[in-house]
Amino acid sequence: GAVVSQHPSRVICKSGTSVKIECRSLDFQATTMFWYRQFPKQSLMLMATSNEGSKATYEQGVEKDKFLINHASLTLSTLTVTSAHPEDSSFYICSAEPPGTVYNSPLHFGNGTRLTVT
Amino acid sequence: KQEVTQIPAALSVPEGENLVLNCSFTDSAIYNLQWFRQDPGKGLTSLLLIQSSQREQTSGRLNASLDKSSGRSTLYIAASQPGDSATYLCASRGSGSQGNLIFGKGTKLSVKP
């Protein structure tokens, strides 16, 4: 079945630094990938929709200059948390689906990245 | 704006028991509804997907139902096992141009041997 790989699984960084998270679709090409954030005991919240070859679409309240998304190829999307602060500490998860499925198939999720900002 | 609610937030049952997890949503104009399993510190594993035109889906010991008119879905787990212990999330998918998922907060299930 379709597999989505996310790296790193855990990262600890100091306040003010930037962190890049990668999301790869391993056996299919993904024109669209989704980035979610999950705080403890909360729902997954969509942050942005990453579109290959074009700008990402951000959800209301998500700072596009802070959370930089690059979807340069059909198999890779990256999320960079710039100038990280302790309140950015969270669980970040990406998802993707094969093109042409028109929502009929389940989304495939990466294993997530636990970001801790000290 | 779609809101998805899951009840209960946590559930503990003895091994072998049948159980039902509940999910409700406020906007019935959904494209589909999906149930996921999330293990601690891990990503999501898709369990069942029910299209808006369907009433239920089954996979092994799992059965998910969908009642759009009442805005409800249930996940039935038969003969529960300790390995079923995880957080179960339901998510509705809209029919808009983006079609992103709206998640509930999940039900944390513990099956005791």
Side-chain angles (χ1 to χ4, degrees), chain A residues 30-51:
Chain A
T31 53
T32 302
M33 293 184 176
F34 301 92
W35 287 96
Y36 293 83
R37 180 168 53 184
Q38 184 181 32
F39 291 107
K41 298 185 179 180
Q42 298 297 314
S43 306
L44 273 76
M45 297 297 295
L46 180 68
M47 298 176 65
T49 301
S50 172
N51 304 298

Side-chain angles (χ1 to χ4, degrees), chain A residues 34 36 38 41-44 46 49 57 91 93 97 102-107 109-112, chain B residues 31-32 34 36 38 41-44 46 49 51 89 93 96-101 103-105:
Chain A
F34 301 92
Y36 293 83
Q38 184 181 32
K41 298 185 179 180
Q42 298 297 314
S43 306
L44 273 76
L46 180 68
T49 301
T57 304
F91 193 58
I93 308 178
E97 65 181 351
V102 197
Y103 312 155
N104 286 332
S105 66
L107 282 170
F109 284 79
N111 277 334
Chain B
Y31 199 88
N32 59 45
Q34 198 164 349
F36 295 88
Q38 184 177 29
K42 299 292 186 182
L44 277 63
S46 177
L49 182 149
Q51 301 293 352
L89 299 164
R93 192 161 196 184
S97 59
Q98 296 293 341
N100 55 280
L101 293 175
F103 284 86
K105 291 184 179 181

Side-chain angles (χ1 to χ4, degrees), chain A residues 81-99:
Chain A
V81 182
T82 63
S83 187
H85 290 281
E87 56 264 33
D88 298 324
S89 298
S90 186
F91 193 58
Y92 294 85
I93 308 178
C94 69
S95 70
E97 65 181 351

